[in-house]
Amino acid sequence: MCGIAGIYNFRGTQAQSVETVSRMLSSISHRGPDGFGAYHDGGVCLGHARLSIIDLSGGGQPMSNEDGSVWITFNGEIFNFEELRAGLEERGHRFRTNSDTEVIVHLYEDLGHGCLERLNGQFAFAIWDTAKRELFIARDRMGIRPIFYAEQNGAFYFASEAKALFATGHMERKLDPLAIDEIFTFWHTVAPRTSFEGVHELPAGYYLVLKSGALERHKYWELEFPEEFSNISFEDAMDELKRLLIDSTRLQLKADVPVGAYLSGGLDSSVTTALIRNYTGSKLQTFSVAFEDGDYDESPFQKEMAKALGTEHNEIRCSYKDIRDNFEKVIWHTEKPVLRTAPSPLFLLAGLARKTGFKVVLTGEGADEVLGGYDIFKEAKIREFWARMPESNLRPLLLKKLYPYLPAFQGQSRFYREAFFNSGLTAASDEFFSHRPRWATTAKNKMFFSEALRNEIKSASPESMMRLTLPASFKSWPVVARAQFLETRGLLAGYILSSQGDRMLMGNSIEGRFPFLDHRIVEFAATLPLHYKIRGINEKYILKKCMAPHLPPNIVKRTKQPYLAPDSKSFFEGGKSAGYAEELLSEKKVAEYGYFNPRPVAMLVNKCKKGGAIGFKDNMALVGILSTQILHRQFVEDFTGALPLDREKLKIVNEPVRA
Amino acid sequence: MRDEVRDFIFKNFLFDDSGDSLNDSDSFLEKGIIDSTGMLELVAFLEEKYGIRIEDDELVPENLDSVERLVQFISRKKVPS
């Protein structure tokens, strides 16, 4: 895993580009502390910060083809690179290294932009084609690896993180009001929008082409559900899913450094761990977060799983103070407001993996989206069932089966439970039917928005932005398939893999790998009849069935627990608040930054201090407001830029390395 | 009592101390003011403040869905039947 950065000048040459790219790399050196390289050709400059994982001695970048006519800077992994390499060698390509990077270069020579369809991996890269004078920038299908870009004064800048764009010193730094509006609706921005005005994110499954001073954006992959689901038998589907999982795990274990695994205590990471232990014979170290607050702690299950699978287990105990003390750093890495503190413990967990000597971890991320694990899918199923007969007294009783782990939810009267899920009940044909209750609850916190912010948002609607991202056939899919799409293309890429994933991992120079997100598994799962994935309201049914022989019964039977961390409690221990939170949430600072109304925020803070904020809504408000304030301070008010790397650290690689 | 109830609703759910964004007869549900956890917060407040016990079958909008209804409900509960 690595960091990449670069410049393309629309108007010919610019002498300063190497120096600028050096600053960009310096600002994201946490992504790749093992070495820095740059290539320049007239108005184009590519930069690379390396975390060496495959081909430790030969994988330096930027890298070129045989004659130096194609250059690449690449962040990520191509898991099928050995298979691809064999084919390329047969077609006469000569390889100088054992790296996956070189495979992309040669595949590009053969197939041009079409090379993307052949890659199985997680990647963001830029290729400079010196003959065509074309810059080609691509991002993986699921959005595992990030890439941001911006245009300023006739130049195009790209990088793995937005802070590298600001490090150029040429970019205005302003939070985008519409981004705040989107986050206070969906929990994430809708790509290409980012938190910052003028900074774009390349959406998952897209590529860019810059040529003759023009920029084009193309989609090469999308999650699509079929018009008719496959008629494969359940037994055959189980076998195929298992075969694919074993294969993707085998491929993703490839590395020239030791690979560890996260273990949450739930089904998905247990599956990943069991696959590694059962099918690869690898010795394995596992990593878990335990919470001091027993309401959030899953360590007994983590230990049970580690014992059952015979892994060497490592645990980090997370307290309110740990979350509080790391939260500013966390927001520096997320580069986005967040509505939960959940990234914070994952930041600490990646730190533990790094301290233990690891650079790569496998996790169970993606299983819930791909195989139907989340409660929002079951909720949508029940609400749809109810909507078909709204006058039914019995149908809404099923709602009580949802969220068994939420005492506040279980304690409420039937009337209020139904009133909540009634949100948008009348129209199951509504494209966003599944997400109405969640989005409506989240959006209530817009009551804290200041007049100034409201005026900037005006009539913009987050839903209309989301609608633009939907495939043409979306409306014809069943409610649960639509919900899976929104979770996979929206929340997974926009929050789980970024704010909780890549940014927390790379903040500690750790690479995450996600066997469930192998595109073959994602595509296969989308063809399956929905009741294979959720049987009644039994989630991830096919996964449980096919993996049960390899897992302790307790893990398979266990009710799904969402991953949560203490939110407002972390900042207001014993009625007092952390210094920075006190300051940033003060009426003075809230008024000064201008996004929120000072008085209502003061009342919310007061409620939190008294321990009165027990629901999701208030906690989301507090964390959302605090993280927006932190983001503003770090990126708008106090951004200090980055010094260029030391001259001797940055290797200029303008000539292709001869074998 | 009316003022105390209004004060609680405004400070805890509306985050507004101007006191003019809600009429005593406005429905909490229709205005989207109180969600499921909000209901628990409200019940805890009423029980603590007025020394009453609220049974599950009393958790209905007829008793709880506006300032007006709350005031009447608490008054009825405080008079031992």
Short mmCIF file of all heavy atoms in Angstrom, two decimals, chain A residues 424-477:
data_model
loop_
_atom_site.label_atom_id
_atom_site.label_comp_id
_atom_site.label_asym_id
_atom_site.label_seq_id
_atom_site.Cartn_x
_atom_site.Cartn_y
_atom_site.Cartn_z
N GLY A 424 -42.43 6.94 5.49
CA GLY A 424 -42.38 6.56 4.07
C GLY A 424 -43.00 5.21 3.77
O GLY A 424 -42.73 4.61 2.74
N LEU A 425 -43.87 4.73 4.65
CA LEU A 425 -44.39 3.37 4.48
C LEU A 425 -45.33 3.24 3.28
O LEU A 425 -45.42 2.18 2.69
CB LEU A 425 -45.13 2.93 5.75
CG LEU A 425 -45.56 1.46 5.74
CD1 LEU A 425 -44.34 0.56 5.75
CD2 LEU A 425 -46.46 1.13 6.92
N THR A 426 -46.00 4.30 2.95
CA THR A 426 -47.05 4.17 1.93
C THR A 426 -46.51 3.83 0.55
O THR A 426 -47.25 3.36 -0.29
CB THR A 426 -47.86 5.46 1.82
OG1 THR A 426 -46.93 6.54 1.78
CG2 THR A 426 -48.79 5.61 3.00
N ALA A 427 -45.24 4.06 0.28
CA ALA A 427 -44.77 3.91 -1.09
C ALA A 427 -43.58 2.96 -1.19
O ALA A 427 -42.44 3.40 -1.22
CB ALA A 427 -44.41 5.27 -1.66
N ALA A 428 -43.85 1.66 -1.22
CA ALA A 428 -42.75 0.71 -1.39
C ALA A 428 -42.09 0.89 -2.76
O ALA A 428 -40.98 0.44 -2.99
CB ALA A 428 -43.24 -0.72 -1.21
N SER A 429 -42.79 1.57 -3.67
CA SER A 429 -42.20 1.81 -5.00
C SER A 429 -41.21 2.98 -4.94
O SER A 429 -40.41 3.17 -5.85
CB SER A 429 -43.30 2.13 -6.00
OG SER A 429 -43.97 3.30 -5.58
N ASP A 430 -41.25 3.76 -3.87
CA ASP A 430 -40.29 4.84 -3.66
C ASP A 430 -38.89 4.25 -3.73
O ASP A 430 -38.58 3.29 -3.03
CB ASP A 430 -40.58 5.48 -2.30
CG ASP A 430 -39.42 6.32 -1.77
OD1 ASP A 430 -38.54 6.71 -2.57
OD2 ASP A 430 -39.40 6.58 -0.55
N GLU A 431 -38.03 4.82 -4.55
CA GLU A 431 -36.71 4.20 -4.75
C GLU A 431 -35.88 4.13 -3.47
O GLU A 431 -35.05 3.25 -3.31
CB GLU A 431 -35.94 4.92 -5.85
CG GLU A 431 -35.71 6.38 -5.57
CD GLU A 431 -35.71 7.22 -6.83
OE1 GLU A 431 -35.07 6.81 -7.82
OE2 GLU A 431 -36.33 8.29 -6.84
N PHE A 432 -36.12 5.05 -2.54
CA PHE A 432 -35.33 5.07 -1.30
C PHE A 432 -36.11 4.52 -0.10
O PHE A 432 -35.80 4.83 1.04
CB PHE A 432 -34.85 6.49 -1.01
CG PHE A 432 -33.95 7.05 -2.08
CD1 PHE A 432 -34.13 8.33 -2.58
CD2 PHE A 432 -32.91 6.29 -2.61
CE1 PHE A 432 -33.30 8.85 -3.57
CE2 PHE A 432 -32.07 6.80 -3.59
CZ PHE A 432 -32.26 8.08 -4.08
N PHE A 433 -37.13 3.72 -0.38
CA PHE A 433 -38.01 3.16 0.67
C PHE A 433 -37.23 2.60 1.85
O PHE A 433 -37.54 2.88 3.01
CB PHE A 433 -38.88 2.06 0.03
CG PHE A 433 -39.76 1.32 0.99
CD1 PHE A 433 -41.01 1.81 1.34
CD2 PHE A 433 -39.36 0.11 1.55
CE1 PHE A 433 -41.84 1.13 2.22
CE2 PHE A 433 -40.17 -0.59 2.43
CZ PHE A 433 -41.42 -0.07 2.76
N SER A 434 -36.21 1.80 1.56
CA SER A 434 -35.48 1.10 2.62
C SER A 434 -34.78 2.06 3.58
O SER A 434 -34.63 1.77 4.76
CB SER A 434 -34.41 0.19 2.01
OG SER A 434 -33.52 0.96 1.21
N HIS A 435 -34.35 3.19 3.07
CA HIS A 435 -33.50 4.07 3.86
C HIS A 435 -34.24 5.27 4.47
O HIS A 435 -33.62 6.08 5.15
CB HIS A 435 -32.31 4.54 3.02
CG HIS A 435 -31.23 3.49 2.91
ND1 HIS A 435 -31.46 2.26 2.33
CD2 HIS A 435 -29.94 3.47 3.33
CE1 HIS A 435 -30.35 1.54 2.39
NE2 HIS A 435 -29.41 2.25 3.00
N ARG A 436 -35.54 5.36 4.20
CA ARG A 436 -36.29 6.53 4.72
C ARG A 436 -36.17 6.71 6.23
O ARG A 436 -35.87 7.83 6.68
CB ARG A 436 -37.77 6.42 4.34
CG ARG A 436 -38.05 6.63 2.87
CD ARG A 436 -37.97 8.10 2.48
NE ARG A 436 -38.06 8.20 1.04
CZ ARG A 436 -37.42 9.10 0.30
NH1 ARG A 436 -36.65 9.98 0.88
NH2 ARG A 436 -37.56 9.11 -1.00
N PRO A 437 -36.42 5.67 7.06
CA PRO A 437 -36.34 5.93 8.50
C PRO A 437 -34.94 6.40 8.94
O PRO A 437 -34.82 7.34 9.71
CB PRO A 437 -36.68 4.57 9.13
CG PRO A 437 -37.49 3.87 8.10
CD PRO A 437 -36.91 4.31 6.78
N ARG A 438 -33.89 5.75 8.40
CA ARG A 438 -32.54 6.15 8.81
C ARG A 438 -32.23 7.58 8.37
O ARG A 438 -31.74 8.39 9.16
CB ARG A 438 -31.49 5.21 8.21
CG ARG A 438 -30.08 5.63 8.60
CD ARG A 438 -29.01 5.02 7.74
NE ARG A 438 -28.81 3.62 8.06
CZ ARG A 438 -28.00 2.82 7.35
NH1 ARG A 438 -27.34 3.31 6.30
NH2 ARG A 438 -27.86 1.56 7.67
N TRP A 439 -32.50 7.88 7.12
CA TRP A 439 -32.18 9.21 6.62
C TRP A 439 -33.01 10.28 7.32
O TRP A 439 -32.53 11.37 7.60
CB TRP A 439 -32.39 9.28 5.09
CG TRP A 439 -31.41 8.46 4.33
CD1 TRP A 439 -30.31 7.80 4.82
CD2 TRP A 439 -31.44 8.18 2.92
NE1 TRP A 439 -29.66 7.14 3.80
CE2 TRP A 439 -30.33 7.35 2.62
CE3 TRP A 439 -32.30 8.55 1.87
CZ2 TRP A 439 -30.06 6.89 1.33
CZ3 TRP A 439 -32.02 8.10 0.59
CH2 TRP A 439 -30.91 7.27 0.32
N ALA A 440 -34.27 9.96 7.62
CA ALA A 440 -35.13 10.94 8.29
C ALA A 440 -34.60 11.23 9.69
O ALA A 440 -34.55 12.39 10.12
CB ALA A 440 -36.57 10.44 8.33
N THR A 441 -34.20 10.18 10.41
CA THR A 441 -33.65 10.39 11.76
C THR A 441 -32.38 11.22 11.70
O THR A 441 -32.18 12.15 12.48
CB THR A 441 -33.29 9.04 12.42
OG1 THR A 441 -34.44 8.22 12.38
CG2 THR A 441 -32.86 9.22 13.85
N THR A 442 -31.48 10.85 10.78
CA THR A 442 -30.21 11.58 10.67
C THR A 442 -30.46 13.05 10.33
O THR A 442 -29.86 13.94 10.92
CB THR A 442 -29.33 10.93 9.59
OG1 THR A 442 -29.24 9.53 9.86
CG2 THR A 442 -27.94 11.52 9.59
N ALA A 443 -31.38 13.27 9.37
CA ALA A 443 -31.59 14.63 8.87
C ALA A 443 -32.22 15.55 9.92
O ALA A 443 -32.15 16.77 9.79
CB ALA A 443 -32.46 14.59 7.61
N LYS A 444 -32.83 14.96 10.96
CA LYS A 444 -33.41 15.82 12.00
C LYS A 444 -32.35 16.71 12.64
O LYS A 444 -32.64 17.79 13.12
CB LYS A 444 -34.06 14.96 13.08
CG LYS A 444 -35.48 14.59 12.70
CD LYS A 444 -36.16 13.85 13.81
CE LYS A 444 -37.46 13.28 13.26
NZ LYS A 444 -37.86 12.08 13.98
N ASN A 445 -31.11 16.25 12.64
CA ASN A 445 -30.06 17.04 13.26
C ASN A 445 -29.68 18.28 12.44
O ASN A 445 -28.86 19.08 12.87
CB ASN A 445 -28.83 16.18 13.54
CG ASN A 445 -29.05 15.30 14.76
OD1 ASN A 445 -29.72 15.72 15.70
ND2 ASN A 445 -28.53 14.08 14.73
N LYS A 446 -30.28 18.42 11.27
CA LYS A 446 -30.07 19.67 10.53
C LYS A 446 -30.68 20.85 11.28
O LYS A 446 -30.47 22.00 10.90
CB LYS A 446 -30.65 19.55 9.12
CG LYS A 446 -29.91 18.52 8.28
CD LYS A 446 -30.47 18.44 6.87
CE LYS A 446 -29.88 17.23 6.16
NZ LYS A 446 -30.36 17.10 4.78
N MET A 447 -31.46 20.56 12.32
CA MET A 447 -31.99 21.64 13.16
C MET A 447 -30.86 22.47 13.76
O MET A 447 -31.07 23.62 14.15
CB MET A 447 -32.89 21.10 14.27
CG MET A 447 -32.14 20.31 15.34
SD MET A 447 -33.03 20.13 16.90
CE MET A 447 -34.03 18.71 16.63
N PHE A 448 -29.64 21.91 13.81
CA PHE A 448 -28.52 22.65 14.38
C PHE A 448 -27.83 23.55 13.34
O PHE A 448 -26.99 24.36 13.70
CB PHE A 448 -27.47 21.69 14.97
CG PHE A 448 -27.97 20.97 16.19
CD1 PHE A 448 -28.45 19.66 16.09
CD2 PHE A 448 -27.98 21.58 17.44
CE1 PHE A 448 -28.91 18.99 17.22
CE2 PHE A 448 -28.45 20.92 18.56
CZ PHE A 448 -28.92 19.63 18.45
N PHE A 449 -28.15 23.40 12.06
CA PHE A 449 -27.50 24.20 11.01
C PHE A 449 -27.78 25.69 11.23
O PHE A 449 -28.90 26.09 11.55
CB PHE A 449 -28.03 23.82 9.63
CG PHE A 449 -27.52 22.51 9.09
CD1 PHE A 449 -26.69 21.67 9.84
CD2 PHE A 449 -27.86 22.10 7.80
CE1 PHE A 449 -26.23 20.47 9.33
CE2 PHE A 449 -27.41 20.89 7.27
CZ PHE A 449 -26.59 20.08 8.04
N SER A 450 -26.76 26.51 10.99
CA SER A 450 -26.92 27.96 11.11
C SER A 450 -27.68 28.51 9.90
O SER A 450 -27.77 27.85 8.86
CB SER A 450 -25.55 28.63 11.18
OG SER A 450 -24.88 28.46 9.93
N GLU A 451 -28.18 29.71 10.03
CA GLU A 451 -28.85 30.39 8.91
C GLU A 451 -27.89 30.49 7.73
O GLU A 451 -28.27 30.25 6.58
CB GLU A 451 -29.26 31.81 9.32
CG GLU A 451 -30.59 31.90 10.04
CD GLU A 451 -31.71 31.22 9.27
OE1 GLU A 451 -32.00 31.60 8.12
OE2 GLU A 451 -32.28 30.26 9.83
N ALA A 452 -26.63 30.83 8.02
CA ALA A 452 -25.65 31.02 6.95
C ALA A 452 -25.47 29.72 6.17
O ALA A 452 -25.43 29.72 4.93
CB ALA A 452 -24.32 31.47 7.54
N LEU A 453 -25.38 28.60 6.89
CA LEU A 453 -25.19 27.31 6.21
C LEU A 453 -26.44 26.98 5.38
O LEU A 453 -26.34 26.56 4.23
CB LEU A 453 -24.93 26.20 7.24
CG LEU A 453 -24.61 24.82 6.67
CD1 LEU A 453 -23.30 24.83 5.89
CD2 LEU A 453 -24.52 23.77 7.78
N ARG A 454 -27.60 27.19 5.99
CA ARG A 454 -28.85 26.94 5.24
C ARG A 454 -28.91 27.76 3.96
O ARG A 454 -29.34 27.27 2.92
CB ARG A 454 -30.06 27.32 6.09
CG ARG A 454 -30.48 26.28 7.08
CD ARG A 454 -31.55 26.88 7.99
NE ARG A 454 -31.40 26.37 9.34
CZ ARG A 454 -31.93 25.23 9.74
NH1 ARG A 454 -32.67 24.52 8.91
NH2 ARG A 454 -31.72 24.79 10.96
N ASN A 455 -28.48 29.02 4.06
CA ASN A 455 -28.52 29.88 2.87
C ASN A 455 -27.59 29.38 1.78
O ASN A 455 -27.87 29.53 0.59
CB ASN A 455 -28.16 31.32 3.24
CG ASN A 455 -29.30 31.99 3.99
OD1 ASN A 455 -30.46 31.58 3.85
ND2 ASN A 455 -28.97 32.99 4.79
N GLU A 456 -26.46 28.80 2.20
CA GLU A 456 -25.53 28.28 1.18
C GLU A 456 -26.06 27.00 0.55
O GLU A 456 -25.81 26.72 -0.61
CB GLU A 456 -24.16 28.04 1.81
CG GLU A 456 -23.44 29.33 2.13
CD GLU A 456 -21.94 29.11 2.23
OE1 GLU A 456 -21.30 28.97 1.18
OE2 GLU A 456 -21.43 29.08 3.37
N ILE A 457 -26.76 26.21 1.35
CA ILE A 457 -27.32 24.95 0.83
C ILE A 457 -28.50 25.25 -0.09
O ILE A 457 -28.69 24.60 -1.11
CB ILE A 457 -27.77 24.04 1.99
CG1 ILE A 457 -26.56 23.60 2.81
CG2 ILE A 457 -28.52 22.83 1.46
CD1 ILE A 457 -26.92 22.98 4.15
N LYS A 458 -29.25 26.26 0.29
CA LYS A 458 -30.45 26.67 -0.46
C LYS A 458 -31.32 25.48 -0.78
O LYS A 458 -31.71 24.71 0.08
CB LYS A 458 -30.05 27.41 -1.73
CG LYS A 458 -29.50 28.80 -1.48
CD LYS A 458 -29.69 29.70 -2.71
CE LYS A 458 -28.92 30.98 -2.54
NZ LYS A 458 -27.49 30.83 -2.93
N SER A 459 -31.61 25.29 -2.07
CA SER A 459 -32.58 24.25 -2.40
C SER A 459 -31.89 22.94 -2.83
O SER A 459 -32.55 22.03 -3.30
CB SER A 459 -33.48 24.75 -3.53
OG SER A 459 -32.66 25.06 -4.64
N ALA A 460 -30.56 22.89 -2.68
CA ALA A 460 -29.87 21.65 -3.09
C ALA A 460 -30.43 20.48 -2.29
O ALA A 460 -30.74 20.62 -1.12
CB ALA A 460 -28.37 21.80 -2.81
N SER A 461 -30.57 19.33 -2.93
CA SER A 461 -31.13 18.20 -2.22
C SER A 461 -30.19 17.01 -2.29
O SER A 461 -29.82 16.56 -3.37
CB SER A 461 -32.50 17.87 -2.81
OG SER A 461 -32.62 16.50 -3.05
N PRO A 462 -29.78 16.48 -1.13
CA PRO A 462 -28.89 15.32 -1.13
C PRO A 462 -29.49 14.16 -1.92
O PRO A 462 -28.77 13.45 -2.62
CB PRO A 462 -28.78 14.96 0.35
CG PRO A 462 -29.08 16.23 1.08
CD PRO A 462 -30.07 16.96 0.22
N GLU A 463 -30.81 13.98 -1.81
CA GLU A 463 -31.43 12.86 -2.51
C GLU A 463 -31.29 12.97 -4.02
O GLU A 463 -31.12 11.97 -4.70
CB GLU A 463 -32.91 12.77 -2.15
CG GLU A 463 -33.12 12.03 -0.87
CD GLU A 463 -34.58 11.91 -0.52
OE1 GLU A 463 -35.42 11.95 -1.44
OE2 GLU A 463 -34.86 11.78 0.68
N SER A 464 -31.37 14.19 -4.54
CA SER A 464 -31.25 14.31 -5.99
C SER A 464 -29.82 14.00 -6.43
O SER A 464 -29.60 13.48 -7.51
CB SER A 464 -31.70 15.70 -6.46
OG SER A 464 -30.87 16.68 -5.91
N MET A 465 -28.84 14.28 -5.57
CA MET A 465 -27.46 13.91 -5.89
C MET A 465 -27.33 12.39 -5.89
O MET A 465 -26.68 11.80 -6.75
CB MET A 465 -26.48 14.49 -4.87
CG MET A 465 -26.40 16.01 -4.81
SD MET A 465 -26.26 16.80 -6.43
CE MET A 465 -24.67 16.17 -6.95
N MET A 466 -27.92 11.76 -4.89
CA MET A 466 -27.86 10.30 -4.80
C MET A 466 -28.54 9.67 -6.01
O MET A 466 -28.07 8.68 -6.58
CB MET A 466 -28.56 9.86 -3.51
CG MET A 466 -28.50 8.38 -3.24
SD MET A 466 -26.84 7.81 -2.85
CE MET A 466 -26.88 7.89 -1.07
N ARG A 467 -29.66 10.28 -6.42
CA ARG A 467 -30.42 9.72 -7.54
C ARG A 467 -29.55 9.67 -8.80
O ARG A 467 -29.67 8.74 -9.60
CB ARG A 467 -31.67 10.57 -7.76
CG ARG A 467 -32.81 9.83 -8.42
CD ARG A 467 -34.13 10.58 -8.30
NE ARG A 467 -34.79 10.33 -7.03
CZ ARG A 467 -35.15 11.26 -6.15
NH1 ARG A 467 -34.89 12.53 -6.39
NH2 ARG A 467 -35.74 10.93 -5.03
N LEU A 468 -28.68 10.64 -8.96
CA LEU A 468 -27.82 10.68 -10.15
C LEU A 468 -26.87 9.49 -10.22
O LEU A 468 -26.36 9.16 -11.29
CB LEU A 468 -26.98 11.97 -10.15
CG LEU A 468 -27.73 13.28 -10.35
CD1 LEU A 468 -26.77 14.46 -10.24
CD2 LEU A 468 -28.43 13.28 -11.71
N THR A 469 -26.61 8.85 -9.08
CA THR A 469 -25.64 7.75 -9.08
C THR A 469 -26.31 6.40 -9.36
O THR A 469 -25.63 5.38 -9.44
CB THR A 469 -24.93 7.64 -7.71
OG1 THR A 469 -25.89 7.20 -6.72
CG2 THR A 469 -24.34 8.96 -7.26
N LEU A 470 -27.64 6.37 -9.47
CA LEU A 470 -28.33 5.08 -9.59
C LEU A 470 -28.31 4.56 -11.02
O LEU A 470 -28.50 5.32 -11.96
CB LEU A 470 -29.79 5.23 -9.14
CG LEU A 470 -30.00 5.83 -7.75
CD1 LEU A 470 -31.49 5.98 -7.46
CD2 LEU A 470 -29.33 4.98 -6.67
N PRO A 471 -28.09 3.25 -11.19
CA PRO A 471 -28.18 2.67 -12.53
C PRO A 471 -29.62 2.76 -13.06
O PRO A 471 -30.57 2.86 -12.28
CB PRO A 471 -27.81 1.20 -12.32
CG PRO A 471 -27.31 1.08 -10.94
CD PRO A 471 -27.80 2.25 -10.17
N ALA A 472 -29.75 2.71 -14.39
CA ALA A 472 -31.07 2.87 -15.01
C ALA A 472 -32.07 1.83 -14.51
O ALA A 472 -33.25 2.12 -14.35
CB ALA A 472 -30.92 2.78 -16.53
N SER A 473 -31.59 0.60 -14.24
CA SER A 473 -32.52 -0.47 -13.88
C SER A 473 -32.86 -0.48 -12.38
O SER A 473 -33.68 -1.29 -11.93
CB SER A 473 -31.90 -1.82 -14.26
OG SER A 473 -30.63 -1.95 -13.65
N PHE A 474 -32.24 0.42 -11.62
CA PHE A 474 -32.39 0.43 -10.15
C PHE A 474 -33.85 0.32 -9.70
O PHE A 474 -34.21 -0.46 -8.83
CB PHE A 474 -31.76 1.70 -9.60
CG PHE A 474 -31.83 1.86 -8.10
CD1 PHE A 474 -30.86 1.31 -7.29
CD2 PHE A 474 -32.86 2.59 -7.51
CE1 PHE A 474 -30.91 1.47 -5.90
CE2 PHE A 474 -32.92 2.75 -6.12
CZ PHE A 474 -31.94 2.19 -5.33
N LYS A 475 -34.70 1.11 -10.35
CA LYS A 475 -36.11 1.18 -9.91
C LYS A 475 -36.84 -0.14 -10.04
O LYS A 475 -37.85 -0.37 -9.37
CB LYS A 475 -36.84 2.27 -10.69
CG LYS A 475 -36.70 3.65 -10.06
CD LYS A 475 -37.79 4.58 -10.53
CE LYS A 475 -38.34 5.34 -9.33
NZ LYS A 475 -39.37 6.30 -9.65
N SER A 476 -36.34 -1.01 -10.93
CA SER A 476 -37.05 -2.27 -11.15
C SER A 476 -36.61 -3.35 -10.16
O SER A 476 -37.19 -4.43 -10.14
CB SER A 476 -36.81 -2.75 -12.58
OG SER A 476 -35.45 -3.11 -12.73
N TRP A 477 -35.61 -3.07 -9.35
CA TRP A 477 -35.11 -4.11 -8.42
C TRP A 477 -36.02 -4.21 -7.18
O TRP A 477 -36.65 -3.23 -6.79
CB TRP A 477 -33.69 -3.78 -7.94
CG TRP A 477 -32.68 -3.67 -9.02
CD1 TRP A 477 -32.77 -4.16 -10.30
CD2 TRP A 477 -31.41 -3.01 -8.94
NE1 TRP A 477 -31.64 -3.84 -11.01
CE2 TRP A 477 -30.79 -3.14 -10.20
CE3 TRP A 477 -30.74 -2.34 -7.93
CZ2 TRP A 477 -29.53 -2.61 -10.47
CZ3 TRP A 477 -29.49 -1.80 -8.19
CH2 TRP A 477 -28.88 -1.95 -9.45
#
